[in-house]
Amino acid sequence: MRALLLILILAAGISPGWALAQTAPDVRMVIDVSGSMKQNDPGNLRANALSFAATLLPPSARGSIWTFGTTVANPLPSGEVVDAWREQAGSMASQLTDYQQFTDIERALRQTASATPDNGNRHLILLTDGMVDLPASGSDKAQRDSASRQRIIDEMAPDLAARGVVVHPIALSNNVDLPLLEQVAQTTGGLAAVAETPEELLRAFLDVLDRILPGDQVPIDDRQRFSVDDDIDEFNALLFHAPGVDSPVLIGPDGQRYSRDDHPGSVEWLSSDRYDLITVPDPAPGEWQIEGDIGADSRIGIHADTVLRSEPLPATLYQGFSTPLDVWLASEGRALAADELPAGLAVRAELRDLDGATLAETALASSGDHFRGELPGADQLGNARLTITARSERMIRQQVQPVNVVAALNAVLSEDGTQIVVRANHPDLNVDNTRLSASLTGRSLDIRQTGDREWTIAVPQTDPNESLPVRITAEAQLDGRTLHLDLPVVRLNPDAAVGLGGADLDQGVVSESRQQEDSADADDGNDFGDGLTPSQMADIAVDKAQQGWRLARPYVETYAQRPVTWIVIAALWLLWMLLRWRRAAKRRRLARREEPSV
């Protein structure tokens, strides 16, 4: 049982409990049971979420489980996470398929956040498909849904943040209102994630817990080795593996092997189909080895006297904006003085995506007993992990904090397609220090300021059968610097891209000048294609060719082995080229013979 309870500490990077938090966290699981979850969560991943919650939450925390759809229920009230609570949570999976017709996210957030106890460390883990869907019909329904969504963004999220309530949305499908979930997470300081598989759901929970309870780890290198120094009192290895694969083996510095079925009595080993949790007290210092295939999310959490600390790291980073960092080593609740630091200590920060690719990195400079620096802004949007590593010859400490990288400005096309609303995500951007410009096929568009941090771009009426890009740029003056920001392209008539053969027309327009050239070419005696630009027709042709290839592939693979097939293909291609050349020559002759009109 002790190993079962230690998994939370491990997941959070391993820290001896609540020294990192003013109060033990109150974690409220808010689970969507609306009818849309039948399609968006057919595998009932929410049941896995409950199982993980029952396993991951520590006994000193408070936990509760809520369900919502049209109404909100609290089948497992708030209480300390003891054995009885875990048993109740584990028996609730069947209640998650008692579907309701609608999805009232606003009511769910309001009721769960306001429920007692009213402490200062409330965390709401919202599992949902993320689409506001209220009881109504006709045009009134669209208005009600839109109004509720806007109240969540404009009123509820700021109120929750002011009350110290952090919302961590986990979307159980790609069919989500992700901008809504990200906005709520940004405003309240939470982490947003999308999880479509059990593995992704477990990763999302570990990331959320890393935000709630940050702590120390030691890294696992490419050869599956990790170092233990004599300051470490205990380590906990959470090692993921594929279902059905044998549990990994630990090998100590002296060569002693630790396996699931053969390990010292002081070692505790909890094994499941997807991971093993191994708790090793008083580990031998030196290099340890992991034998067996383990997943990328595997980690080694530690209990030690000397720990790595930092100023609070934000859950949200902004594309193109640097992040200041301030870290130090501490022992017994105080920062180590400069002359107490290990010799040769170097501190480095890296931002990596979930596949391990480096997005940004920097070395932190020594400043007395602290290490400070700025992490450069990343260009790639989405979930990432910010890793800070302090390394010397004698010891290594590491903290891993999950983050979301979001655009500094967000542009959304209105439902009626008549305007684009641009809002500032970055807290320092507003109408006083930021200037926008927008263009459609080379023509500038009018921009109005409609709020302290909001602009509206009026767009002209266009051919509904043609998808056109609006390009938006911004210039911001911050701290004496001029920043230039390119927003993602917004498409007018976005559904037209599907109607035109399913091609992705975003790839057809390389630049405004290219689009103008395409338009000129289309008017130059080229009347086939129903007015489409050559770049758009090329994309459609590629799409049609791909569809044709999928249908023809079985036959082609059979006949491709016969030489006569290639002879026939070559002859047909030459004949087609000859006909095209003769037709073009005939048009040129006719053009030269044409007499001028009087």
Short mmCIF file of all heavy atoms in Angstrom, two decimals, residues 407-457:
data_model
loop_
_atom_site.label_atom_id
_atom_site.label_comp_id
_atom_site.label_asym_id
_atom_site.label_seq_id
_atom_site.Cartn_x
_atom_site.Cartn_y
_atom_site.Cartn_z
N ALA A 407 -0.29 31.12 -28.81
CA ALA A 407 -0.05 32.35 -29.57
C ALA A 407 -0.30 33.56 -28.69
O ALA A 407 -1.20 33.57 -27.86
CB ALA A 407 -0.97 32.38 -30.79
N ALA A 408 0.52 34.61 -28.88
CA ALA A 408 0.35 35.83 -28.09
C ALA A 408 -0.94 36.54 -28.44
O ALA A 408 -1.54 37.21 -27.60
CB ALA A 408 1.54 36.76 -28.31
N LEU A 409 -1.38 36.41 -29.69
CA LEU A 409 -2.64 36.98 -30.16
C LEU A 409 -3.43 35.88 -30.85
O LEU A 409 -2.87 35.07 -31.58
CB LEU A 409 -2.40 38.13 -31.14
CG LEU A 409 -1.73 39.39 -30.58
CD1 LEU A 409 -1.16 40.23 -31.70
CD2 LEU A 409 -2.72 40.20 -29.75
N ASN A 410 -4.74 35.89 -30.63
CA ASN A 410 -5.59 34.84 -31.17
C ASN A 410 -6.64 35.47 -32.09
O ASN A 410 -7.31 36.43 -31.69
CB ASN A 410 -6.28 34.09 -30.04
CG ASN A 410 -7.10 32.92 -30.55
OD1 ASN A 410 -6.62 32.12 -31.34
ND2 ASN A 410 -8.34 32.82 -30.12
N ALA A 411 -6.77 34.97 -33.31
CA ALA A 411 -7.73 35.49 -34.28
C ALA A 411 -8.75 34.42 -34.62
O ALA A 411 -8.39 33.29 -34.94
CB ALA A 411 -7.01 35.95 -35.55
N VAL A 412 -10.04 34.78 -34.55
CA VAL A 412 -11.13 33.83 -34.80
C VAL A 412 -12.14 34.46 -35.75
O VAL A 412 -12.56 35.61 -35.55
CB VAL A 412 -11.83 33.43 -33.48
CG1 VAL A 412 -12.98 32.48 -33.75
CG2 VAL A 412 -10.84 32.78 -32.52
N LEU A 413 -12.54 33.72 -36.77
CA LEU A 413 -13.57 34.16 -37.70
C LEU A 413 -14.94 33.97 -37.07
O LEU A 413 -15.24 32.92 -36.51
CB LEU A 413 -13.48 33.36 -39.01
CG LEU A 413 -14.49 33.69 -40.11
CD1 LEU A 413 -14.26 35.10 -40.65
CD2 LEU A 413 -14.39 32.65 -41.24
N SER A 414 -15.79 35.01 -37.15
CA SER A 414 -17.13 34.91 -36.57
C SER A 414 -17.94 33.86 -37.31
O SER A 414 -17.64 33.50 -38.46
CB SER A 414 -17.85 36.26 -36.64
OG SER A 414 -18.03 36.66 -37.99
N GLU A 415 -19.01 33.37 -36.66
CA GLU A 415 -19.81 32.30 -37.25
C GLU A 415 -20.46 32.73 -38.57
O GLU A 415 -20.62 31.92 -39.48
CB GLU A 415 -20.89 31.85 -36.26
CG GLU A 415 -20.33 31.13 -35.04
CD GLU A 415 -21.42 30.59 -34.14
OE1 GLU A 415 -22.60 30.74 -34.51
OE2 GLU A 415 -21.10 30.02 -33.08
N ASP A 416 -20.85 34.03 -38.67
CA ASP A 416 -21.48 34.48 -39.91
C ASP A 416 -20.45 34.88 -40.96
O ASP A 416 -20.81 35.25 -42.09
CB ASP A 416 -22.43 35.64 -39.64
CG ASP A 416 -21.73 36.84 -39.01
OD1 ASP A 416 -20.49 36.83 -38.94
OD2 ASP A 416 -22.43 37.77 -38.59
N GLY A 417 -19.17 34.81 -40.63
CA GLY A 417 -18.13 35.08 -41.60
C GLY A 417 -17.95 36.53 -41.98
O GLY A 417 -17.25 36.83 -42.96
N THR A 418 -18.51 37.46 -41.22
CA THR A 418 -18.46 38.88 -41.58
C THR A 418 -17.33 39.63 -40.90
O THR A 418 -17.03 40.76 -41.27
CB THR A 418 -19.79 39.57 -41.24
OG1 THR A 418 -20.01 39.47 -39.82
CG2 THR A 418 -20.94 38.92 -42.00
N GLN A 419 -16.70 39.04 -39.88
CA GLN A 419 -15.65 39.73 -39.17
C GLN A 419 -14.70 38.74 -38.50
O GLN A 419 -15.06 37.58 -38.27
CB GLN A 419 -16.22 40.68 -38.12
CG GLN A 419 -17.03 40.00 -37.04
CD GLN A 419 -17.65 40.99 -36.05
OE1 GLN A 419 -17.73 42.18 -36.33
NE2 GLN A 419 -18.09 40.50 -34.91
N ILE A 420 -13.51 39.22 -38.22
CA ILE A 420 -12.51 38.44 -37.50
C ILE A 420 -12.24 39.16 -36.19
O ILE A 420 -11.98 40.37 -36.18
CB ILE A 420 -11.21 38.31 -38.31
CG1 ILE A 420 -11.47 37.54 -39.61
CG2 ILE A 420 -10.14 37.60 -37.49
CD1 ILE A 420 -10.28 37.55 -40.56
N VAL A 421 -12.32 38.42 -35.08
CA VAL A 421 -12.07 38.99 -33.76
C VAL A 421 -10.67 38.56 -33.32
O VAL A 421 -10.36 37.37 -33.29
CB VAL A 421 -13.13 38.55 -32.74
CG1 VAL A 421 -12.81 39.13 -31.36
CG2 VAL A 421 -14.52 39.00 -33.19
N VAL A 422 -9.84 39.54 -32.99
CA VAL A 422 -8.48 39.29 -32.52
C VAL A 422 -8.41 39.67 -31.05
O VAL A 422 -8.78 40.78 -30.67
CB VAL A 422 -7.44 40.10 -33.32
CG1 VAL A 422 -6.04 39.81 -32.81
CG2 VAL A 422 -7.54 39.78 -34.80
N ARG A 423 -7.95 38.75 -30.22
CA ARG A 423 -7.82 39.00 -28.78
C ARG A 423 -6.38 38.75 -28.35
O ARG A 423 -5.70 37.85 -28.88
CB ARG A 423 -8.77 38.11 -27.98
CG ARG A 423 -10.24 38.41 -28.20
CD ARG A 423 -11.12 37.60 -27.25
NE ARG A 423 -12.53 37.90 -27.42
CZ ARG A 423 -13.34 37.26 -28.26
NH1 ARG A 423 -12.85 36.26 -28.98
NH2 ARG A 423 -14.60 37.60 -28.35
N ALA A 424 -5.94 39.52 -27.38
CA ALA A 424 -4.59 39.36 -26.84
C ALA A 424 -4.59 38.27 -25.78
O ALA A 424 -5.34 38.36 -24.80
CB ALA A 424 -4.11 40.68 -26.25
N ASN A 425 -3.77 37.25 -25.98
CA ASN A 425 -3.57 36.23 -24.96
C ASN A 425 -2.49 36.66 -23.97
O ASN A 425 -2.62 36.44 -22.76
CB ASN A 425 -3.16 34.90 -25.60
CG ASN A 425 -4.31 34.21 -26.31
OD1 ASN A 425 -5.46 34.35 -25.90
ND2 ASN A 425 -4.00 33.49 -27.37
N HIS A 426 -1.43 37.25 -24.48
CA HIS A 426 -0.34 37.69 -23.60
C HIS A 426 -0.85 38.82 -22.70
O HIS A 426 -1.45 39.79 -23.18
CB HIS A 426 0.84 38.15 -24.43
CG HIS A 426 2.10 38.31 -23.65
ND1 HIS A 426 2.31 39.35 -22.77
CD2 HIS A 426 3.22 37.53 -23.58
CE1 HIS A 426 3.50 39.23 -22.22
NE2 HIS A 426 4.07 38.14 -22.69
N PRO A 427 -0.61 38.74 -21.40
CA PRO A 427 -1.18 39.73 -20.48
C PRO A 427 -0.67 41.14 -20.68
O PRO A 427 -1.32 42.10 -20.27
CB PRO A 427 -0.79 39.18 -19.09
CG PRO A 427 0.37 38.28 -19.34
CD PRO A 427 0.15 37.69 -20.69
N ASP A 428 0.50 41.31 -21.32
CA ASP A 428 1.06 42.65 -21.49
C ASP A 428 0.66 43.31 -22.81
O ASP A 428 1.02 44.47 -23.05
CB ASP A 428 2.59 42.59 -21.40
CG ASP A 428 3.06 42.19 -20.01
OD1 ASP A 428 2.30 42.40 -19.05
OD2 ASP A 428 4.19 41.67 -19.89
N LEU A 429 -0.05 42.62 -23.67
CA LEU A 429 -0.46 43.19 -24.95
C LEU A 429 -1.84 43.83 -24.82
O LEU A 429 -2.75 43.24 -24.23
CB LEU A 429 -0.48 42.13 -26.04
CG LEU A 429 0.86 41.47 -26.39
CD1 LEU A 429 0.69 40.46 -27.52
CD2 LEU A 429 1.91 42.51 -26.74
N ASN A 430 -1.99 45.02 -25.39
CA ASN A 430 -3.28 45.71 -25.37
C ASN A 430 -3.34 46.69 -26.54
O ASN A 430 -2.38 46.81 -27.32
CB ASN A 430 -3.51 46.43 -24.04
CG ASN A 430 -2.36 47.36 -23.68
OD1 ASN A 430 -2.03 48.27 -24.45
ND2 ASN A 430 -1.75 47.14 -22.52
N VAL A 431 -4.45 47.41 -26.66
CA VAL A 431 -4.64 48.30 -27.80
C VAL A 431 -3.72 49.50 -27.75
O VAL A 431 -3.52 50.18 -28.77
CB VAL A 431 -6.11 48.76 -27.88
CG1 VAL A 431 -7.03 47.57 -28.13
CG2 VAL A 431 -6.53 49.50 -26.60
N ASP A 432 -3.14 49.80 -26.58
CA ASP A 432 -2.26 50.96 -26.47
C ASP A 432 -0.85 50.67 -26.98
O ASP A 432 -0.17 51.58 -27.47
CB ASP A 432 -2.18 51.42 -25.01
CG ASP A 432 -3.51 51.95 -24.50
OD1 ASP A 432 -4.25 52.54 -25.31
OD2 ASP A 432 -3.79 51.77 -23.29
N ASN A 433 -0.39 49.43 -26.86
CA ASN A 433 0.99 49.13 -27.27
C ASN A 433 1.08 48.20 -28.47
O ASN A 433 2.18 47.80 -28.86
CB ASN A 433 1.78 48.54 -26.10
CG ASN A 433 1.18 47.25 -25.57
OD1 ASN A 433 0.42 46.58 -26.25
ND2 ASN A 433 1.53 46.89 -24.34
N THR A 434 -0.04 47.83 -29.05
CA THR A 434 -0.04 46.87 -30.16
C THR A 434 -0.83 47.42 -31.33
O THR A 434 -1.94 47.93 -31.16
CB THR A 434 -0.66 45.53 -29.72
OG1 THR A 434 0.03 45.05 -28.56
CG2 THR A 434 -0.54 44.49 -30.82
N ARG A 435 -0.25 47.34 -32.51
CA ARG A 435 -0.90 47.78 -33.74
C ARG A 435 -1.03 46.60 -34.69
O ARG A 435 -0.06 45.88 -34.93
CB ARG A 435 -0.10 48.90 -34.41
CG ARG A 435 0.00 50.18 -33.59
CD ARG A 435 -1.34 50.89 -33.52
NE ARG A 435 -1.26 52.09 -32.68
CZ ARG A 435 -1.54 52.11 -31.38
NH1 ARG A 435 -1.88 50.98 -30.76
NH2 ARG A 435 -1.46 53.22 -30.69
N LEU A 436 -2.23 46.44 -35.25
CA LEU A 436 -2.49 45.33 -36.16
C LEU A 436 -2.60 45.82 -37.59
O LEU A 436 -2.96 46.98 -37.84
CB LEU A 436 -3.80 44.62 -35.79
CG LEU A 436 -3.95 43.98 -34.41
CD1 LEU A 436 -5.26 43.21 -34.34
CD2 LEU A 436 -2.78 43.08 -34.10
N SER A 437 -2.32 44.96 -38.52
CA SER A 437 -2.61 45.18 -39.94
C SER A 437 -3.12 43.87 -40.51
O SER A 437 -2.69 42.78 -40.09
CB SER A 437 -1.37 45.66 -40.69
OG SER A 437 -0.34 44.68 -40.63
N ALA A 438 -4.05 43.97 -41.45
CA ALA A 438 -4.66 42.77 -42.05
C ALA A 438 -4.87 43.01 -43.53
O ALA A 438 -5.16 44.14 -43.95
CB ALA A 438 -5.98 42.45 -41.37
N SER A 439 -4.72 41.96 -44.32
CA SER A 439 -4.89 42.09 -45.77
C SER A 439 -5.56 40.85 -46.32
O SER A 439 -5.40 39.74 -45.82
CB SER A 439 -3.54 42.32 -46.45
OG SER A 439 -2.70 41.19 -46.25
N LEU A 440 -6.31 41.07 -47.38
CA LEU A 440 -6.98 40.00 -48.13
C LEU A 440 -6.63 40.18 -49.59
O LEU A 440 -6.99 41.21 -50.19
CB LEU A 440 -8.49 40.07 -47.91
CG LEU A 440 -9.34 39.11 -48.75
CD1 LEU A 440 -9.04 37.66 -48.38
CD2 LEU A 440 -10.83 39.41 -48.57
N THR A 441 -5.91 39.22 -50.17
CA THR A 441 -5.45 39.27 -51.56
C THR A 441 -4.80 40.62 -51.88
O THR A 441 -5.09 41.25 -52.90
CB THR A 441 -6.60 38.98 -52.54
OG1 THR A 441 -7.62 40.00 -52.38
CG2 THR A 441 -7.19 37.61 -52.30
N GLY A 442 -3.96 41.09 -50.97
CA GLY A 442 -3.23 42.33 -51.20
C GLY A 442 -3.95 43.59 -50.81
O GLY A 442 -3.36 44.68 -50.84
N ARG A 443 -5.21 43.50 -50.43
CA ARG A 443 -5.99 44.68 -50.07
C ARG A 443 -6.07 44.79 -48.55
O ARG A 443 -6.42 43.82 -47.87
CB ARG A 443 -7.40 44.59 -50.66
CG ARG A 443 -8.27 45.79 -50.32
CD ARG A 443 -9.62 45.68 -50.99
NE ARG A 443 -10.32 44.44 -50.64
CZ ARG A 443 -11.55 44.13 -51.02
NH1 ARG A 443 -12.21 44.96 -51.81
NH2 ARG A 443 -12.11 43.02 -50.65
N SER A 444 -5.79 45.99 -48.02
CA SER A 444 -5.84 46.21 -46.58
C SER A 444 -7.29 46.19 -46.09
O SER A 444 -8.20 46.65 -46.79
CB SER A 444 -5.19 47.55 -46.22
OG SER A 444 -3.82 47.54 -46.54
N LEU A 445 -7.48 45.67 -44.89
CA LEU A 445 -8.80 45.60 -44.28
C LEU A 445 -8.89 46.56 -43.10
O LEU A 445 -7.89 46.83 -42.43
CB LEU A 445 -9.09 44.17 -43.81
CG LEU A 445 -9.04 43.08 -44.88
CD1 LEU A 445 -9.30 41.72 -44.24
CD2 LEU A 445 -10.06 43.35 -45.99
N ASP A 446 -10.09 47.06 -42.86
CA ASP A 446 -10.31 47.99 -41.75
C ASP A 446 -10.28 47.24 -40.42
O ASP A 446 -10.83 46.14 -40.29
CB ASP A 446 -11.66 48.69 -41.90
CG ASP A 446 -11.67 49.65 -43.08
OD1 ASP A 446 -10.58 50.15 -43.44
OD2 ASP A 446 -12.76 49.88 -43.65
N ILE A 447 -9.64 47.87 -39.42
CA ILE A 447 -9.52 47.27 -38.09
C ILE A 447 -10.03 48.27 -37.07
O ILE A 447 -9.65 49.45 -37.08
CB ILE A 447 -8.06 46.91 -37.77
CG1 ILE A 447 -7.51 45.93 -38.81
CG2 ILE A 447 -7.94 46.33 -36.36
CD1 ILE A 447 -6.04 45.62 -38.64
N ARG A 448 -10.91 47.80 -36.18
CA ARG A 448 -11.46 48.64 -35.11
C ARG A 448 -11.09 48.07 -33.76
O ARG A 448 -11.06 46.85 -33.58
CB ARG A 448 -12.99 48.74 -35.22
CG ARG A 448 -13.50 49.45 -36.46
CD ARG A 448 -15.01 49.60 -36.42
NE ARG A 448 -15.69 48.30 -36.39
CZ ARG A 448 -16.33 47.82 -35.34
NH1 ARG A 448 -16.36 48.50 -34.20
NH2 ARG A 448 -16.94 46.65 -35.41
N GLN A 449 -10.82 48.95 -32.81
CA GLN A 449 -10.58 48.53 -31.43
C GLN A 449 -11.94 48.36 -30.75
O GLN A 449 -12.72 49.30 -30.68
CB GLN A 449 -9.74 49.57 -30.70
CG GLN A 449 -8.36 49.77 -31.29
CD GLN A 449 -7.59 50.87 -30.60
OE1 GLN A 449 -8.09 51.49 -29.66
NE2 GLN A 449 -6.38 51.14 -31.08
N THR A 450 -12.21 47.15 -30.27
CA THR A 450 -13.52 46.87 -29.65
C THR A 450 -13.39 46.50 -28.18
O THR A 450 -14.35 46.05 -27.57
CB THR A 450 -14.23 45.74 -30.42
OG1 THR A 450 -13.35 44.63 -30.56
CG2 THR A 450 -14.66 46.21 -31.80
N GLY A 451 -12.22 46.68 -27.61
CA GLY A 451 -12.00 46.40 -26.19
C GLY A 451 -10.59 46.77 -25.83
O GLY A 451 -9.78 47.14 -26.69
N ASP A 452 -10.27 46.70 -24.54
CA ASP A 452 -8.91 47.03 -24.11
C ASP A 452 -7.88 46.09 -24.72
O ASP A 452 -6.73 46.49 -24.93
CB ASP A 452 -8.82 46.97 -22.58
CG ASP A 452 -9.65 48.04 -21.91
OD1 ASP A 452 -9.96 49.06 -22.58
OD2 ASP A 452 -10.00 47.87 -20.73
N ARG A 453 -8.29 44.87 -25.01
CA ARG A 453 -7.37 43.86 -25.54
C ARG A 453 -7.99 43.12 -26.71
O ARG A 453 -7.72 41.96 -26.94
CB ARG A 453 -7.00 42.86 -24.43
CG ARG A 453 -6.20 43.49 -23.31
CD ARG A 453 -6.25 42.69 -22.00
NE ARG A 453 -6.01 41.28 -22.18
CZ ARG A 453 -4.80 40.72 -22.31
NH1 ARG A 453 -3.73 41.49 -22.29
NH2 ARG A 453 -4.66 39.43 -22.45
N GLU A 454 -8.83 43.85 -27.47
CA GLU A 454 -9.57 43.19 -28.54
C GLU A 454 -9.71 44.11 -29.75
O GLU A 454 -9.89 45.32 -29.61
CB GLU A 454 -10.96 42.77 -28.04
CG GLU A 454 -11.81 42.05 -29.08
CD GLU A 454 -13.17 41.67 -28.52
OE1 GLU A 454 -13.24 40.66 -27.81
OE2 GLU A 454 -14.15 42.40 -28.79
N TRP A 455 -9.62 43.50 -30.94
CA TRP A 455 -9.78 44.21 -32.19
C TRP A 455 -10.78 43.42 -33.06
O TRP A 455 -10.88 42.20 -32.95
CB TRP A 455 -8.47 44.32 -32.95
CG TRP A 455 -7.37 45.03 -32.25
CD1 TRP A 455 -6.96 46.32 -32.44
CD2 TRP A 455 -6.49 44.49 -31.25
NE1 TRP A 455 -5.89 46.62 -31.62
CE2 TRP A 455 -5.58 45.51 -30.89
CE3 TRP A 455 -6.39 43.25 -30.63
CZ2 TRP A 455 -4.59 45.33 -29.93
CZ3 TRP A 455 -5.40 43.06 -29.67
CH2 TRP A 455 -4.51 44.09 -29.34
N THR A 456 -11.48 44.14 -33.94
CA THR A 456 -12.40 43.49 -34.89
C THR A 456 -12.03 43.91 -36.30
O THR A 456 -11.86 45.11 -36.58
CB THR A 456 -13.86 43.87 -34.61
OG1 THR A 456 -14.21 43.42 -33.28
CG2 THR A 456 -14.79 43.20 -35.61
N ILE A 457 -11.88 42.94 -37.17
CA ILE A 457 -11.52 43.18 -38.57
C ILE A 457 -12.75 42.88 -39.42
O ILE A 457 -13.27 41.75 -39.42
CB ILE A 457 -10.36 42.28 -39.00
CG1 ILE A 457 -9.14 42.51 -38.09
CG2 ILE A 457 -9.99 42.52 -40.46
CD1 ILE A 457 -8.02 41.53 -38.33
#
